[in-house]
Amino acid sequence: SAVISQKPSRDICQRGTSLTIQCQVDSQVTMMFWYRQQPGQSLTLIATANQGSEATYESGFVIDKFPISRPNLTFSTLTVSNMSPEDSSIYLCSVRQGVSSYEQYFGPGTRLTVT
Amino acid sequence: GNSVTQMEGPVTLSEEAFLTINCTYTATGYPSLFWYVQYPGEGLQLLLKATKADDKGSNKGFEATYRKETTSFHLEKGSVQVSDSAVYFCALSYSGGSYIPTFGRGTSLIVHP
């Protein structure tokens, strides 16, 4: 299994500002994912971040709004840019330890409130 | 495409009651099936899994059986506790490649003393 930490755990931000969320894993992982979970909803995949390549974004999410970095096999950041109240959500980092593995592990999440 | 359907919540039970949370799926081939649990203020944790038909996953008193004939993976527990109050997500995935799991909408469970 993998142990994942996220910073910050929660934040309250003003409209128009940006927030960078960090995800740290205790072991090297091939695939990292960023999800959004809006109140009372299921998980929505934002993007897949593999080390050494550009992040792959899902429909409805763009790099200008959600830039992602993946500098090594244990770390990634997600930035939520030019925030609006609609961005208020829980943002979850998730990893898969190998391409052949189907088990995913999740971080504790970052609870973002935009006012 | 693939999909996972869970029963609507919240499910409200008294302590020691029997729990069933229904999950059905639509998928091609032979997916693996999972239940994840999300406790208040936390991320998702893998609760149990089953990788082929008729497999039973179990953990912490929870069980689910992979029923290919009914395309179901219902979660059960014989006697729930207040500490089981959480949101439960059913999911499917495939081994190999870059398949991203498909999650259900989640079912909230509230257990009263």
Side-chain angles (χ1 to χ4, degrees):
Chain A
S1 65
V3 178
I4 305 168
S5 59
Q6 286 185 233
K7 290 181 182 179
S9 58
R10 58 178 63 231
D11 208 341
I12 301 173
C13 300
Q14 291 196 338
R15 181 195 299 262
T17 62
S18 297
L19 176 72
T20 295
I21 302 167
Q22 298 179 6
C23 175
Q24 179 75 54
V25 190
D26 69 341
S27 59
Q28 294 185 342
V29 295
T30 305
M31 304 178 77
M32 295 183 79
F33 310 89
W34 287 98
Y35 287 86
R36 183 172 72 183
Q37 184 183 20
Q38 294 181 305
Q41 302 295 313
S42 187
L43 283 69
T44 300
L45 181 65
I46 297 172
T48 301
N50 294 331
Q51 195 265 339
S53 61
E54 297 277 337
T56 302
Y57 289 83
E58 298 298 303
S59 175
F61 298 96
V62 295
I63 187 171
D64 289 347
K65 174 69 175 176
F66 296 101
I68 288 170
S69 76
R70 178 80 200 272
N72 57 53
L73 291 173
T74 63
F75 187 78
S76 177
T77 66
L78 169 75
T79 300
V80 186
S81 304
N82 188 24
M83 288 184 284
S84 66
E86 292 71 35
D87 294 320
S88 297
S89 286
I90 299 172
Y91 291 85
L92 293 161
C93 174
S94 177
V95 305
R96 189 182 297 173
Q97 289 189 290
V99 174
S100 61
S101 171
Y102 43 64
E103 291 191 32
Q104 287 201 205
Y105 301 93
F106 288 82
T110 296
R111 186 178 297 271
L112 171 62
T113 302
V114 183
T115 60
Chain B
N2 298 331
S3 66
V4 175
T5 303
Q6 292 182 233
M7 61 188 291
E8 293 276 339
V11 173
T12 304
L13 295 172
S14 297
E15 205 163 25
E16 299 183 2
F18 184 85
L19 168 71
T20 300
I21 299 179
N22 291 338
C23 171
T24 57
Y25 67 91
T26 302
T28 57
Y30 303 96
S32 296
L33 302 174
F34 304 85
W35 278 100
Y36 285 85
V37 58
Q38 184 178 32
Y39 297 104
E42 300 183 12
L44 276 72
Q45 302 174 25
L46 179 63
L47 179 61
L48 55 83
K49 67 182 181 191
T51 59
K52 61 183 187 296
D54 300 324
D55 267 3
K56 178 185 284 187
S58 61
N59 186 25
K60 299 182 181 179
F62 291 90
E63 294 183 340
T65 301
Y66 188 165
R67 301 287 189 201
K68 190 165 178 63
E69 64 275 14
T70 54
T71 61
S72 65
F73 193 54
H74 305 320
L75 183 68
E76 297 182 335
K77 186 175 185 182
S79 176
V80 293
Q81 305 299 311
V82 173
S83 57
D84 294 326
S85 298
V87 180
Y88 293 81
F89 291 90
C90 186
L92 70 84
S93 188
Y94 295 87
S95 61
S98 59
Y99 185 81
I100 308 301
T102 300
F103 287 89
R105 293 176 60 86
T107 302
S108 175
L109 170 65
I110 301 169
V111 181
H112 294 294

